[in-house]
Amino acid sequence: MRIAPLLAVTALLATAPQQAVAELPDPFIFADGTRVTDADDWARRREELKELFQRVEYGHLPPKPERAAIEWGEPDTESTPGATVKPFAMRFGQGDAKLVVNGRLTLPAEGAGRLPVVIQGGWFGDVPARFKRPPGPSPYAARGYASVEINYNDAARDDSKRCREGGVYQLFGDDIDCGGLMAWAWSVHRAIDALANHDRINASRVVVSGHSRWGKAALVAGAFDERIAITVPQHSGCGGAAPYRYVFGKAERLENITGKYGYWLRPGFRAYVGREEELPIDQHELLALVAPRWQMSTEGTEDTWINPEGSQLSYLAAKPVYELLGAGDRLSIRFRPVGHVPSVEDLLDFADHAFEGKSLPEAFGRLEYERHAEATPWAAVAPTK
């Protein structure tokens, strides 16, 4: 697989002005102007949208490498009460290039059979303490879940000056055009490959989650891999669940994210600063790519920088796609009166609901803001199942 050279990517993404659309784009309109009418149509439209998100915002998902293997370290039964932690290294090869992405699998110390697994990313090892998992029992193991943490920094450096050193750029060379979020999503997909035949993992019950920047990566991972049963972006904000066209209060905008964290996204995406209405996509359509699989966004009403009101709008705008596919009950949102704080409890409650049919607390799906129906005039005539 060969992806457009980076030199071509740095040119303006939209060489000709796009039609300005002030409201959220209609996800049911094909590129040729025809309209989605049923689930079969949506499957084709979904492929169009996947390509748009890759070409415009995140860059193209790198391919599976030619060679892949997993190497397990010594199990740790002491550091996490009630659980066993198994470090691992995913080793990849592409031609003469090699890459190692490290991670760890945490399993309940007791019990048998294959378990659902929550995969998320972050940093661990020789990194600042604020990025490390807090000591103590695993909340996932306590609820009967395996969990996997991936060192995303191995897949793509979270560093504006060194972002293209190592990682997927080392493995595939300068031809790939993806930013860090898509690279991190790629590492989630490779972890699913590596764990597919593990004797304690139920590969049909994969949950992908993450908080803040890693919530953005979780949403991208879920949108581009149908093996992921549940996608839970937490406080993902701009570049995640929040739209670019509707930014409420003093929340992060496209200008902010591409100014400080442009390396998370496809080179050239900053060209849309001040031209957000010309974007051919917006983030509600990224949520829609997950349909009909389970999905929930968690938001904090006091976390104003991540635009929780905008995320509610994206949720409402993705809902018609879920309803077309007969899966309206599989999409949810959860607000808490908190700042930039994730909730493992909400994640596991939603996973128990999806996998075991357990009831959800009433707060799930409850809206906190006005609906802004003017942003989705097309929703009134959206196709239904």
Side-chain angles (χ1 to χ4, degrees):
M1 176 180 177
R2 185 173 178 80
I3 302 173
L6 185 58
L7 289 175
V9 172
T10 57
L12 187 65
L13 289 176
T15 55
Q18 304 292 308
Q19 180 182 1
V21 179
E23 64 269 8
L24 293 180
D26 186 345
F28 298 110
I29 298 295
F30 283 103
D32 64 6
T34 59
R35 189 165 179 78
V36 169
T37 61
D38 57 26
D40 289 339
D41 281 350
W42 174 253
R44 294 187 293 111
R45 175 60 176 154
R46 182 174 182 272
E47 293 305 310
E48 279 192 352
L49 285 169
K50 284 171 61 179
E51 176 55 27
L52 277 172
F53 275 105
Q54 291 177 98
R55 179 166 56 82
V56 173
E57 184 173 359
Y58 297 108
H60 288 81
L61 178 65
K64 290 182 67 171
E66 295 169 349
R67 301 180 303 281
I70 187 168
E71 179 181 298
W72 293 94
E74 290 296 319
D76 169 10
T77 59
E78 303 295 329
S79 64
T80 305
T84 298
V85 180
K86 297 184 176 182
F88 63 84
M90 296 184 289
R91 300 187 178 277
F92 306 113
Q94 186 78 8
D96 294 331
K98 297 179 181 179
L99 172 65
V100 177
V101 177
N102 293 287
R104 58 188 171 206
L105 167 66
T106 301
L107 294 164
E110 298 180 0
R114 295 179 181 269
L115 303 172
V117 59
V118 178
I119 301 177
Q120 51 197 333
W123 293 341
F124 48 88
D126 187 19
V127 297
R130 68 183 183 277
F131 292 119
K132 294 183 179 181
R133 185 182 66 183
S138 164
Y140 304 102
R143 294 273 292 264
Y145 284 75
S147 62
V148 168
E149 295 165 281
I150 304 168
N151 191 342
Y152 279 172
N153 221 33
D154 288 341
R157 293 181 185 273
D158 195 9
D159 183 323
S160 61
K161 296 180 180 178
R162 303 176 63 198
C163 57
R164 296 188 71 86
E165 294 180 11
V168 296
Y169 310 103
Q170 166 188 319
L171 191 64
F172 296 107
D174 288 337
D175 282 350
I176 61 172
D177 66 351
C178 71
L181 296 178
M182 186 63 87
W184 297 343
W186 175 90
S187 70
V188 169
H189 301 167
R190 302 290 72 80
I192 296 172
D193 294 342
L195 296 170
N197 296 316
H198 193 284
D199 61 3
R200 295 295 308 282
I201 300 298
N202 185 339
S204 69
R205 292 191 166 189
V206 174
V207 184
V208 172
S209 188
H211 175 242
S212 195
R213 67 192 64 188
W214 299 319
K216 305 178 203 295
L219 181 52
V220 175
F224 284 85
D225 194 327
E226 295 182 34
R227 296 174 298 175
I228 295 169
I230 306 176
T231 302
V232 183
Q234 302 207 45
H235 297 243
S236 59
C238 187
Y244 292 110
R245 283 171 170 81
Y246 288 82
V247 180
F248 299 95
K250 296 181 179 180
E252 187 175 25
R253 297 174 178 271
L254 190 152
E255 179 179 8
N256 304 121
I257 193 172
T258 57
K260 188 173 183 180
Y261 300 109
Y263 61 95
W264 290 349
L265 303 159
R266 189 183 198 267
F269 188 53
R270 187 169 171 78
Y272 281 101
V273 171
R275 301 170 52 211
E276 287 85 351
E277 293 182 359
E278 294 179 23
L279 279 167
I281 41 84
D282 215 325
Q283 298 306 99
H284 64 297
E285 292 169 309
L286 187 67
L287 272 63
L289 291 182
V290 180
R293 290 167 289 129
W294 295 88
Q295 179 178 188
M296 178 186 66
S297 299
T298 70
E299 309 289 338
T301 55
E302 298 174 14
D303 194 6
T304 54
W305 184 247
I306 57 99
N307 194 12
E309 187 168 358
S311 292
Q312 175 182 291
L313 182 53
S314 292
Y315 157 75
L316 291 171
K319 196 81 168 179
V321 174
Y322 270 80
E323 290 170 348
L324 170 66
L325 301 178
D329 61 340
R330 294 187 179 186
L331 178 65
S332 191
I333 193 167
R334 173 70 162 104
F335 289 98
R336 283 183 181 271
V338 298
H340 204 50
V341 180
S343 174
V344 173
E345 179 185 357
D346 288 340
L347 184 160
L348 292 174
D349 283 349
F350 189 72
D352 282 349
H353 171 67
F355 292 147
E356 306 296 340
K358 295 182 179 180
S359 297
L360 280 175
E362 291 183 1
F364 284 72
R366 181 182 298 162
L367 303 184
E368 291 290 329
Y369 308 97
E370 63 174 290
R371 288 179 173 267
H372 299 288
E374 73 282 0
T376 56
W378 43 265
V381 293
T384 56
K385 184 179 177 183

